[in-house]
Amino acid sequence: MERLLRILGSWALSMIRRMGHMFTFLMNSFYFVFVPPFKFNLLLRQMRFFGNKSMAIILLTGSFTGMVLALQLYYTLRKFGSDALLGPAIALSLIRELGPVLSALMVTGRAGSALTAEIGIMRISEQIDALTAMALNPMRYLIVPNIVAAIMVFPLLAAIFDVIGIYGGYAIAVKLLGMSEGTYFSQMEVFVDMEDIMQGIYKSVSFGVIVSWVCCYKGFYTGYGAEGVSKATTEAVVMSSVLILIWDYFIGSVLL
Amino acid sequence: MIEVIDLEKSFDSQKVLDGVNLTIFDKELMAIIGKSGGGKSVFLKHLIGLLKPDKGSVLVDGVDITRLGTKELDRIREKLGVVFQGGALFDSLTVYENVAFPLKEKTKVSKKEIQDRVMQALEDVGLWGMEKKYPAEISGGMKKRVALARALITEPQIVFFDEPTTGLDPIILNSIHRLIVDTHNKYGFTGVIISHDIPEIFDVADRIAMLHNGVIVEVGTPDEIKNSFNPIVRQFIIGMEVPSFKP
């Protein structure tokens, strides 16, 4: 029993230590966000990395999510005689919940993993040490541009996901299931408020921080060799995805 | 001058440096030799301030860098140049951009001057015409030359070379050694070379120190090291396995 408690205690202490280390890393990054010199070129490059390169996957998943929602919700709402509410149901689901969450998960898989691998390879090939040895702060060059880029790009990607999803739903509801175009869009105008849109934006911004923070941290403190980078990449994707879902619940319950 | 006093470092339970004492004089080329995995690179990282020791001091021009904060340490690092083992070139930058990087980021010199200095540095290391290539497109020997050009571009007072010839064929190995000596003569920096190139290093270094089991077991000129009676030094020089006893 004592041994079990000791193992549990040691595990808990190690978890607290690791969380503290991660949190210090994030606070350090935020500090350099506000301290010049600012690296605008690197910021633009990372915005392209997160945004432009994730566009295809966002368009694809967004459209299919909207289509699936339309199909499922249509049959459910029809049972209650509320099929006229299909448009707002799709829009609200996407804007408040599915757009921010699914787009963040997609970007984690596409860009987050690549980011961890890139920073991890820079670590094991001593490129990060080279920056430090040149008296240049690696946080400013590698971490800050990614965190700021993610904060700016995640809401935009979620917005694109929402719009494409709504049009995916439109294709199924109007073109396939024969719903009137006017009903689909006009009801949406009635039910979707600015507050719903803001909730989606708040979520996306926080997901941007989570994904860039976790992926940068895991790459920055990667283990040795190719195996270390591979392990860091897997951990970054899993941890980011889990944190997105957990944080989504908490922020959702606060904002509701 | 660099003075290392009683430097100790352990990773978990493994003691890598066990009280290293060494003095490196201004403008000399000091080689640190020793078997692979013997703590040479760890020792070098302490000299650059990339690792903090468990105990002991590293004095660079009289300043103990182990006690400095990041800002003060960065001021010391501005005097240093480092050639890392694999070159540590930035993959996303061309050869030109890699060499220009410290100048662009750390100084306020004009674009024209950067261009002139980078092209001169590339010519010094025999890489004229390679400036538009990316690190992935050049050979291992060329990468080391680019790393050397990058380390020298800010005209540092001290240059560290972490196994600059590892993985190179004998011809390239000798050309890199020649390059280190030539640039040392031209720029007059203090050089610290981590190496296990025996006997080539005897023609390069002014003095040689042997690191074994976390301590410096012998320091001297190449002739003194060649004629040393220390069994560990002798065995290392003739290429036999060194038993792990302490001197």
Side-chain angles (χ1 to χ4, degrees):
Chain A
M1 185 63 188
E2 192 190 321
R3 194 165 164 264
L4 182 73
L5 281 173
R6 199 172 290 163
I7 291 169
L8 272 174
S10 151
W11 178 81
L13 281 176
S14 133
M15 278 296 286
I16 290 167
R17 207 168 17 242
R18 257 185 285 170
M19 280 163 68
H21 196 237
M22 276 191 79
F23 193 68
T24 314
F25 180 84
L26 181 66
M27 289 301 107
N28 240 327
S29 314
F30 279 143
Y31 170 76
F32 286 109
V33 168
F34 301 105
V35 179
F38 304 112
K39 299 290 163 195
F40 289 111
N41 285 345
L42 291 176
L43 174 63
L44 288 175
R45 204 186 82 169
Q46 290 317 106
M47 283 176 76
R48 182 173 174 271
F49 170 75
F50 275 115
N52 191 25
K53 291 186 173 179
S54 303
M55 198 61 88
I57 191 92
I58 291 294
L59 293 176
L60 191 71
T61 50
S63 57
F64 276 96
T65 304
M67 286 156 76
V68 169
L69 272 177
L71 215 51
Q72 295 299 333
L73 285 174
Y74 180 77
Y75 288 108
T76 311
L77 290 171
R78 206 170 58 169
K79 284 184 184 169
F80 302 104
S82 317
D83 46 340
L85 295 175
L86 181 64
I90 290 173
L92 284 172
S93 308
L94 283 169
I95 290 168
R96 292 173 68 104
E97 194 61 48
L98 292 173
V101 171
L102 289 182
S103 62
L105 290 174
M106 288 302 127
V107 180
T108 303
R110 206 227 47 98
S113 55
L115 182 63
T116 306
E118 189 183 338
I119 296 176
I121 287 167
M122 288 187 78
R123 166 65 74 194
I124 62 168
S125 61
E126 297 183 306
Q127 293 176 50
I128 294 179
D129 283 345
L131 277 173
T132 312
M134 286 178 207
L136 298 168
N137 192 316
M139 298 294 276
R140 198 189 296 286
Y141 285 82
L142 300 177
I143 312 303
V144 171
N146 281 304
I147 290 183
V148 178
I151 288 173
M152 292 165 89
V153 166
F154 271 57
L156 295 173
L157 288 175
I160 292 167
F161 189 102
D162 295 344
V163 172
I164 292 297
I166 288 168
Y167 276 100
Y170 165 85
I172 296 299
V174 178
K175 302 293 177 192
L176 191 73
L177 302 171
M179 193 176 170
S180 121
E181 191 175 326
T183 314
Y184 185 80
F185 282 115
S186 66
Q187 293 297 315
M188 219 180 274
E189 268 185 61
V190 175
F191 285 98
V192 178
D193 298 328
M194 196 60 200
E195 200 185 307
D196 301 312
I197 295 169
M198 288 314 291
Q199 180 170 340
I201 291 174
Y202 294 143
K203 281 187 175 180
S204 290
V205 168
S206 57
F207 295 155
V209 173
I210 288 172
V211 173
S212 55
W213 167 38
V214 171
C215 293
C216 286
Y217 176 84
K218 288 287 176 187
F220 202 79
Y221 293 106
T222 190
Y224 297 106
E227 197 186 337
V229 176
S230 139
K231 196 173 160 219
T233 308
T234 309
E235 280 176 7
V237 172
V238 172
M239 194 187 232
S240 300
S241 307
V242 171
L243 282 178
I244 285 170
L245 296 173
I246 294 173
W247 183 249
D248 180 48
Y249 170 76
F250 281 109
I251 196 171
S253 53
V254 170
L255 291 175
L256 266 175
Chain B
M1 190 165 79
I2 304 171
E3 280 179 276
V4 181
I5 304 161
D6 288 332
L7 201 68
E8 290 185 19
K9 181 73 179 177
S10 300
F11 292 103
D12 298 323
S13 58
Q14 195 193 353
K15 198 146 207 169
V16 180
L17 302 177
D18 193 6
V20 176
N21 285 286
L22 185 67
T23 302
I24 300 160
F25 300 113
D26 280 343
K27 299 191 188 299
E28 75 169 339
L29 267 182
M30 163 70 86
I32 316 283
I33 59 170
K35 64 178 180 181
S36 296
K40 300 189 298 296
S41 293
V42 170
F43 176 61
L44 187 80
K45 285 188 173 173
H46 281 87
L47 301 188
I48 311 162
L50 292 174
L51 287 176
K52 291 268 180 203
D54 300 333
K55 215 181 129 198
S57 320
V58 177
L59 306 179
V60 177
D61 293 336
V63 180
D64 185 359
I65 64 165
T66 63
R67 308 271 183 276
L68 296 181
T70 313
K71 271 188 182 169
E72 294 85 8
L73 196 53
D74 278 350
R75 247 173 258 137
I76 299 283
R77 282 180 181 139
E78 281 168 7
K79 299 183 196 173
L80 315 179
V82 186
V83 178
F84 285 92
Q85 210 170 72
L89 302 178
F90 303 123
D91 302 324
S92 55
L93 304 182
T94 62
V95 165
Y96 178 92
E97 289 164 339
N98 261 288
V99 180
F101 191 79
L103 281 182
K104 268 173 71 180
E105 298 297 328
K106 293 301 295 178
T107 66
K108 289 195 170 103
V109 294
S110 68
K111 224 174 172 178
K112 175 78 178 69
E113 195 185 334
I114 290 178
Q115 191 183 358
D116 292 346
R117 282 170 68 173
V118 171
M119 297 317 280
Q120 181 59 51
L122 288 176
E123 195 179 337
D124 286 347
V125 298
L127 284 176
W128 179 269
M130 306 297 283
E131 59 273 11
K132 285 183 182 154
K133 300 259 185 204
Y134 281 89
E137 298 169 333
I138 59 177
S139 69
M142 286 175 177
K143 280 181 194 165
K144 308 260 181 175
R145 285 163 183 263
V146 177
L148 179 61
R150 188 177 68 180
L152 295 176
I153 196 76
T154 51
E155 297 179 6
Q157 293 170 26
I158 305 167
V159 182
F160 298 100
F161 302 86
D162 188 5
E163 301 193 14
T165 53
T166 300
L168 302 179
D169 66 61
I171 296 168
I172 306 287
L173 181 147
N174 279 321
S175 79
I176 295 283
H177 278 154
R178 203 65 271 141
L179 200 56
I180 292 172
V181 174
D182 290 346
T183 49
H184 175 252
N185 291 339
K186 183 175 175 184
Y187 295 97
F189 54 77
T190 305
V192 182
I193 310 168
I194 301 292
S195 177
H196 35 60
D197 296 326
I198 304 290
E200 293 87 350
I201 201 69
F202 293 134
D203 298 328
V204 177
D206 297 320
R207 286 198 306 146
I208 296 172
M210 180 157 174
L211 184 69
H212 179 69
N213 280 354
V215 287
I216 299 287
V217 291
E218 186 97 16
V219 189
T221 62
D223 282 338
E224 286 167 346
I225 293 292
K226 271 189 255 183
N227 301 317
S228 168
F229 291 108
N230 186 322
I232 298 169
V233 178
R234 288 224 60 76
Q235 283 171 328
F236 184 73
I237 290 170
I238 60 172
M240 281 172 64
E241 197 177 342
V242 181
S244 31
F245 60 82
K246 288 205 173 162

